[in-house]
């Protein structure tokens, strides 16, 4: 089994301009899937929801608006590293989260110490564990739905 980095971050779930509440979000990075990070959102009254997307998207999104499609990440204010907005969308439904940038940067720094950015493909066991990673992703999706 590969190594992993995990962290819990409190984020604001922005329901509307007037309503937001704080929720715990688990961040996870595993060497068996070195290109991805997983964020598990623990929404009150619902089963946890996990989203997996590119680690590089999260790295880039902390500093500048990034993403097309289902995942978009951007600084809350231009030219500052104070807070980050994470927008997740499925069809017309979307959820918006606000996080302090500092714990995201600390988490990403720990992932970089485990697998430096750009060195993901150098993992000797990557191809051997690709099928296992895909099976886990499918299992996560089935258990969430």
């Amino acid at each position: 089994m590969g190594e992993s980095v995990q962290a819990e971050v409190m984020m604001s779930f922005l329901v509307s301009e007037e309503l937001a509440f704080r929720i715990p979000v688990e961040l996870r990075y595993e060497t068996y899937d070195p290109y991805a990070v997983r964020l598990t959102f623990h929404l009150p009254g619902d089963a946890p929801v996990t989203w997996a997307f590119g680690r590089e998207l999260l790295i880039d999104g902390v500093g500048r608006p990034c993403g097309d499609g289902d995942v978009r990440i951007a600084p809350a204010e231009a030219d500052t590293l104070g807070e980050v907005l994470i927008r997740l969308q499925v069809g017309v439904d979307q959820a918006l989260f606000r996080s302090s940038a500092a714990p995201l940067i600390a988490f990403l720094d720990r992932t970089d110490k485990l697998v430096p950015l750009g060195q993901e493909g150098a993992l000797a066991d990557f191809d051997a564990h690709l099928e296992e990673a895909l099976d886990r992703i499918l299992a996560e999706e089935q258990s969430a739905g």
Side-chain angles (χ1 to χ4, degrees):
M1 181 141 237
E3 296 179 69
S4 66
V5 172
Q6 223 175 316
E8 185 172 292
V9 175
M10 292 301 291
M11 292 188 187
S12 293
F13 175 37
L14 306 174
V15 179
S16 69
E17 287 188 29
E18 300 83 25
L19 178 62
F21 52 93
R22 297 189 51 80
I23 62 166
V25 179
E26 177 187 323
L27 285 69
R28 189 167 184 85
Y29 175 80
E30 297 179 322
T31 57
Y32 77 81
D33 190 5
Y35 292 99
V37 292
R38 286 177 173 67
L39 278 65
T40 300
F41 299 89
H42 297 274
L43 299 168
D46 284 331
V49 176
T50 300
W51 279 70
F53 52 87
R55 174 173 67 154
E56 195 166 350
L57 176 62
L58 185 57
I59 291 168
D60 292 344
V62 168
R64 63 180 175 82
C66 290
D68 284 338
D70 296 346
V71 180
R72 295 176 189 220
I73 304 173
E77 296 180 27
D79 301 323
T80 67
L81 288 177
E83 293 185 314
V84 176
L85 296 174
I86 300 173
R87 182 180 312 274
L88 306 174
Q89 187 165 346
V90 176
V92 296
D93 295 327
Q94 65 179 0
L96 182 61
F97 300 90
R98 180 188 302 260
S99 173
S100 172
L104 298 178
I105 292 168
F107 169 76
L108 290 166
D109 184 57
R110 290 175 51 216
T111 70
D112 192 62
K113 286 181 170 76
L114 186 60
V115 179
L117 189 63
Q119 299 298 310
E120 298 91 347
L123 292 178
D125 62 349
F126 180 69
D127 289 332
H129 292 290
L130 180 59
E131 188 172 326
E132 178 185 337
L134 293 173
D135 289 343
R136 286 185 193 190
I137 291 168
L138 290 174
E140 287 173 8
E141 288 177 357
Q142 290 174 351
S143 68

